[in-house]
Amino acid sequence: MAIEWKASYETGERRIDGQHRNLFDQVNRLERLLEADTLDQSEVENLLIFLESYIHTHFAYEELCMTLRGCPIARKNKESHDRLLRFYADFDWRYKARGRADAGMMRELHEVLKNWLVRHICRIDVQLRGHLADDGL
């Protein structure tokens, strides 16, 4: 079942919210890939390239925003990011060792991302709302 973006997920920081919406779209794209009879390896590769880039650039930007704005949950945010980065590094290692993805691996990735995404945004990221400033970030 696809995950839908909700207004309650908004942090109030336009760039972060746009990045989050994009990640929701990609997680839903992964779900559609898993519904196909065969796993399209080129689509898998494109998705993994996106994720690799996303988790590094988005996490760095979001962590910077929280730190610069004195958000009290900034450390917890970084710890949550680090846990997902460790999971993804392990996933990527297994993917590269096999030379391809199978449906089981991709279902695991989908479940982790889907669950982490909603929990992380709802519990941590939304706390940035109270610490926004009109500082051009």
Side-chain angles (χ1 to χ4, degrees), residues 22-86:
N22 193 12
L23 184 55
F24 271 67
D25 290 343
Q26 296 301 316
V27 171
N28 289 332
R29 178 178 161 207
L30 174 54
E31 184 172 315
R32 289 188 301 276
L33 279 172
L34 289 167
E35 291 169 352
D37 291 334
T38 58
L39 201 53
D40 183 331
Q41 293 297 318
S42 65
E43 282 292 313
V44 167
E45 183 68 23
N46 289 336
L47 181 68
L48 296 179
I49 289 168
F50 164 82
L51 286 173
E52 180 77 22
S53 174
Y54 178 90
I55 61 178
H56 291 288
T57 57
H58 170 74
F59 287 3
Y61 180 73
E62 188 178 273
E63 289 167 13
L64 177 65
C65 285
M66 284 194 173
T67 299
L68 291 177
R69 292 177 173 131
C71 189
I73 203 157
R75 192 184 88 204
K76 188 172 184 175
N77 183 52
K78 171 120 177 68
E79 291 167 356
S80 180
H81 287 170
D82 289 346
R83 280 190 299 277
L84 186 63
L85 283 166
R86 283 191 300 273

Side-chain angles (χ1 to χ4, degrees), residues 111-127:
E111 280 304 305
V112 167
L113 288 174
K114 186 175 175 179
N115 293 330
W116 183 88
L117 183 59
V118 174
R119 278 194 323 265
H120 178 80
I121 289 174
C122 289
R123 293 180 186 161
I124 296 174
D125 291 349
V126 295
Q127 294 188 41

